[in-house]
Amino acid sequence: MSTMTSTGSTPSGSGRTSSDSARAEADRGRGLRLRLSGMNWLVWRQHRAAYWTLLAASAITVAVIVYQRQQMITYLDGYGYPDLKSGWEERFDQGPLDAASQLLALLPVLIGVFVGAPLLAGDLENGTAKLVNAQSVSRVRWLTTKLGMTALVVVVSTAAVSAVFTWWWSPVKSSSYVLSWSDAAGFDSSGPVPVALTLFTVVGGVAIGMLLRRTLLSMVVTLGFAVAVQVVWSYFRMSLGNAITVTTHNGVGSNSQPNVPDSAYVVDQSYLTASGDLMGWGSCNEQTEKAANACLEKAQVVGWSFEYIPMSQMSSMQWLGASILLALTAGIAAFVIFWGRKRLV
């Protein structure tokens, strides 16, 4: 009688075979691929280090801001928050808010340089773009997938950080002592502005990388582009509001200036003459008070004219500015796709 044996078998209930373990390991490795298939998976796989770094950094920043807000609310509770009593500003530590606003101001620059610039420049420099061009996937699909996935990660990350910063700042937002809303520290760090500025800089960096085709050079040029965007935006920011003019006819004494709402941004202040003309408030800056009064009397100055933008316009100004930035971003993205469709490789 012969006996047949099976060397690869295992007793019932003794565990999985080596092939089962390998299959399970492969299934775990394909977990994300099952959710991101085809080109989406390839783009994520290629840039996963940058994407995960950005998402992780955003998560840590959100956690820190949540903790800092709890600390701030604990302090404000001692002054009757939400109806704060006078004197709360004296011992208020605004250092964490200042540091966070400075970090948010750097986001468009850092993400534009390290995520946007290398996105296409790296592929063009090392020849990956030629390999993709030889496949069945069209250039347009490849470009739109890269841009779309990168934009999604950038929007999710910056929107989360911006939302919690806005939530943190809101209890003390009306006080000019803590982050002036008209400055970059407040205006550019809250609402939709950080998202729009970062997305614009990133897509601009992608376009620069596509044209220059060298990673390091593209990062340097994108750095200059990002700084230029910040400078132009700083001059453009307050022009988004509608200035309100208020005048007085009670002379120019210390108590005759018009009432301007708290935290309002004063655009300009001038002397008002009897004829209704405006004269620069420094026009009669004479050495002596007598000479200054004579100058004012000669010019027939009767009061003041103030132009200001109230804080109540901040939200509408932010959304208007963000809309303009997003429109410009869409235009650059269209240029990248149009140019890349014919001249990428």
Side-chain angles (χ1 to χ4, degrees):
M1 178 184 295
S2 62
T3 303
M4 300 182 63
T5 61
S6 175
T7 59
S9 62
T10 58
S12 175
S14 64
R16 296 180 301 177
T17 65
S18 58
S19 61
D20 291 336
S21 299
R23 188 179 301 109
E25 195 70 26
D27 289 341
R28 283 195 295 270
R30 288 196 299 265
L32 183 59
R33 176 182 263 179
L34 294 175
R35 292 183 289 272
L36 295 175
S37 59
M39 183 57 65
N40 293 330
W41 164 256
L42 292 177
V43 171
W44 176 271
R45 181 78 177 174
Q46 182 184 10
H47 302 288
R48 65 188 183 280
Y51 293 160
W52 279 123
T53 300
L54 188 56
L55 292 171
S58 300
I60 294 172
T61 304
V62 167
V64 172
I65 289 178
V66 169
Y67 171 77
Q68 289 293 341
R69 188 183 190 275
Q70 291 175 344
Q71 297 294 104
M72 184 186 74
I73 294 299
T74 301
Y75 169 81
L76 294 179
D77 283 340
Y79 290 88
Y81 176 78
D83 298 320
L84 293 174
K85 301 175 184 178
S86 60
W88 67 268
E89 299 101 332
E90 296 177 2
R91 300 177 59 187
F92 182 81
D93 183 13
Q94 60 177 336
L97 269 170
D98 289 336
S101 66
Q102 292 172 8
L103 174 63
L104 284 172
L106 289 175
L107 280 183
V109 178
L110 294 176
I111 299 177
V113 170
F114 291 102
V115 176
L119 193 72
L120 292 180
D123 292 337
L124 291 168
E125 186 174 22
N126 59 31
T128 305
K130 293 182 179 180
L131 178 62
V132 172
N133 187 59
Q135 307 303 314
S136 59
V137 178
S138 66
R139 296 180 191 175
V140 172
R141 184 183 174 190
W142 180 59
L143 289 170
T144 54
T145 303
K146 271 183 169 285
L147 286 173
M149 185 164 292
T150 302
L152 178 62
V153 173
V154 168
V155 168
V156 169
S157 301
T158 53
V161 175
S162 176
V164 294
F165 180 85
T166 304
W167 175 60
W168 179 18
W169 181 37
S170 59
V172 294
K173 182 178 178 180
S174 59
S175 173
S176 58
Y177 176 80
V178 184
L179 298 185
S180 175
W181 71 270
S182 59
D183 293 337
F187 194 94
D188 296 350
S189 303
S190 59
V193 175
V195 180
L197 272 174
T198 305
L199 201 58
F200 177 67
T201 307
V202 168
V203 177
V206 173
I208 291 171
M210 180 185 66
L211 295 175
L212 297 182
R213 296 171 174 262
R214 294 293 182 270
T215 302
L216 184 58
L217 177 61
S218 299
M219 293 174 71
V220 173
V221 175
T222 300
L223 176 61
F225 169 74
V227 172
V229 168
Q230 295 286 340
V231 172
V232 173
W233 176 255
S234 67
Y235 284 102
F236 174 73
R237 182 192 306 117
M238 297 312 298
S239 64
L240 297 168
N242 296 316
I244 298 174
T245 303
V246 58
T247 60
T248 63
H249 296 77
N250 302 320
V252 293
S254 58
N255 297 323
S256 62
Q257 291 186 351
N259 293 325
V260 176
D262 294 338
S263 301
Y265 172 76
V266 178
V267 179
D268 191 18
Q269 61 184 61
S270 307
Y271 290 130
L272 180 67
T273 65
S275 61
D277 296 330
L278 300 180
M279 186 174 70
W281 66 273
S283 301
C284 290
N285 189 17
E286 307 295 340
Q287 294 182 351
T288 65
E289 182 178 355
K290 183 177 180 180
N293 290 334
C295 175
L296 293 173
E297 184 176 353
K298 181 179 180 180
Q300 296 183 332
V301 173
V302 297
W304 289 97
S305 175
F306 272 45
E307 290 185 20
Y308 69 92
I309 301 176
M311 187 179 180
S312 58
Q313 293 189 20
M314 178 181 178
S315 180
S316 60
M317 291 168 62
Q318 286 181 318
W319 282 104
L320 176 59
S323 299
I324 294 173
L325 288 171
L326 291 175
L328 293 173
T329 301
I332 297 176
F335 165 75
V336 169
I337 294 173
F338 176 79
W339 180 278
R341 183 170 62 92
K342 295 183 178 180
R343 306 183 184 182
L344 188 62
V345 293

